[in-house]
Amino acid sequence: MSERNGLRYGLLGLALIVLLGVLGFIVNRPASTATADIASPAAGLQSVAELGSKAPGRRALEIQNWKTAEGAKVLFVEAPELPMFDLRLTFAAGSSQDGDAAGVATLTNAMLNEGVAGKDVTAIAEGFEGLGAEFGNGAYRDMAIASLRSLTEADLRQPALDLFTQVIGAPTFPEDSLARIKNQMLAGFEFQKQNPGKLAGLELFDKLYGKHPYAHPSEGDEKSIPGIGVDQLRAFHQKAYAAGNVVIALVGDLSRAEAEAIANQVSKALPQGPALPKLPEPEMPKPGVNHIEFPSKQTHLMLAQLGIDRNDPDYAALYLGNQILGGGGFGTRLMEEVREKRGLTYGVSSGFTAMQVRGPFMIGLQTRAEMSQGTLELIQDIVRQYLAEGPTQKELDDAKRELAGSFPLSTASNADIVGQLGAIGFYDLPLTYLEDFMAKVQALDVAQVKAAMAKHLSPDQFVIVTAGPTVTQKELPPPTDKPAEMPSGVPEH
């Protein structure tokens, strides 16, 4: 996914989760582990400080899984607290499956709810709305998704499911809708030409992945989109939206029998076929700086190198290590040195995007054009020092504490849980993944984090893209507690 990973929230969110524990909506443990005690409602929470070093309470996440007769993988969590359910289908049908028609995956997904037999896009939208149901869809590099949220009352649930299975199983791909969506996409490509950050991102993936399927943008481009026709959409749907190529995630007020009935209905409605082959591994890119000339007061800086796939055993160590480097917002190495001490940027961040095969590790920011070269060198020096020395014990302890407080929010709602189930199934993670991840993080020491970061990253292997004007460069200001020119808002392009 694109999927970026949002596990960090503020203390207010943490307090909210504890309070929601009174109602039974606090975060869950997998069934194979013991359930932590939930604070007594009568006691009341007067302050977040009362939590001390204890992690928020959790309810057991009893993940059930099976396969349908057609080969669809199913993950289900019963959640009877609200009379509704969330259904999410995750297909290996992202842009990495485009082949020679860049953008066909995105177009196919966008066209799902544009027409079915007897209903146009308006009738479909009105049908879901009239049942109090919500349809959602999206396409990314690894995957494409389709989702349904509905009340579980049989008189509403069944017609919502009937309409949903028509949409995902038998779309008609009307020509007029295809022309409209193509025009919207082509207009978007024109707009991208005025966005230096978008131009830098496109160039970065091209240089990082070369001829690999991850290289081209998910939405295709102005050359590829006009030539894609309805026949190609139908062929892609038949191949990539097959029952053997999907993960069905279900969370809500359903019994096992009801969940099986829903999964079976969905699975039978899809084209019949196997899972698509796994993607090839990308080749190592050539490091270096690539510049895009763009008239602006700011320069976009983007640095990347190949990271890890979603099943890499070092995932937990790299996640925690990156939280300290630049993934944790304020207080990270990058924010402290680049923004807080020198006032060079409004914000800077880093992150691993773990995918089916090696996804990118990226660092991104904007800075004043006349400071761009010095800022780039500063970032490289920060990374070099961090990889050589690793985090301090205090940084590690603080990151663990913060993650222990924020991670439960990743399953705070049924919608959050169904998203996690989809990822667990799609990337073939163990059912105990959520609990395993936290246990691994809390067990890590400084040496392990340092070793993992140094193993997977090199300060000299960055593919770098800059987008901005060519101007005379100035020396960076020295670090100080009160930078002379602190950014006051989002920089202008």
Side-chain angles (χ1 to χ4, degrees), residues 23-239:
L23 301 176
F25 293 110
I26 41 184
V27 174
N28 314 290
R29 281 180 183 251
S32 62
T33 60
T35 304
D37 293 334
I38 298 176
S40 169
L45 181 69
Q46 303 301 318
S47 168
V48 176
E50 294 177 22
L51 292 174
S53 60
K54 296 184 293 183
R58 299 176 183 177
R59 154 189 98 179
L61 248 191
E62 299 181 4
I63 302 176
Q64 304 176 53
N65 72 308
W66 65 91
K67 277 194 173 184
T68 68
E70 296 75 26
K73 186 186 298 184
V74 186
L75 290 90
F76 167 57
V77 169
E78 185 174 353
E81 294 86 356
L82 294 173
M84 59 186 295
F85 70 93
D86 284 271
L87 168 64
R88 179 183 176 113
L89 310 185
T90 305
F91 299 89
S95 63
S96 56
Q97 302 292 342
D98 279 346
D100 296 330
V104 68
T106 294
L107 270 174
T108 302
N109 187 269
M111 288 285 291
L112 290 177
N113 59 329
E114 289 291 325
V116 296
K119 291 185 176 67
D120 63 9
V121 61
T122 301
I124 291 172
E126 290 175 347
F128 284 122
E129 184 178 357
L131 296 166
E134 295 179 6
F135 173 82
N137 57 326
Y140 313 94
R141 278 185 165 84
D142 264 354
M143 64 184 67
I145 63 170
S147 64
L148 174 69
R149 169 173 284 185
S150 171
L151 297 171
T152 48
E153 182 181 340
D155 292 345
L156 297 172
R157 177 181 73 210
Q158 195 54 52
L161 281 168
D162 291 343
L163 181 55
F164 179 76
T165 51
Q166 276 187 288
V167 166
I168 54 98
T172 54
F173 301 115
E175 292 276 6
D176 57 341
S177 292
L178 178 58
R180 170 174 51 82
I181 292 175
K182 279 185 178 183
N183 286 334
Q184 291 171 347
M185 295 176 72
L186 291 172
F189 298 145
E190 288 300 312
F191 179 75
Q192 287 176 6
K193 295 176 182 178
Q194 305 305 315
N195 186 330
K198 180 65 175 179
L199 294 176
L202 295 173
E203 181 73 6
L204 188 75
F205 268 81
D206 180 67
K207 297 299 183 185
L208 187 65
Y209 283 102
K211 297 180 180 180
H212 190 270
Y214 284 166
H216 71 268
S218 293
E219 63 270 25
D221 56 41
E222 59 189 3
K223 295 181 180 179
S224 65
I225 290 300
I228 296 176
V230 169
D231 288 344
Q232 286 169 286
L233 303 186
R234 291 190 177 122
F236 187 85
H237 179 265
Q238 185 71 25
K239 172 187 72 173

Side-chain angles (χ1 to χ4, degrees), residues 316-333:
L318 294 172
Y319 183 88
L320 188 61
N322 179 67
Q323 289 295 98
I324 297 165
L325 174 61
F330 287 98
T332 64
R333 291 276 185 101

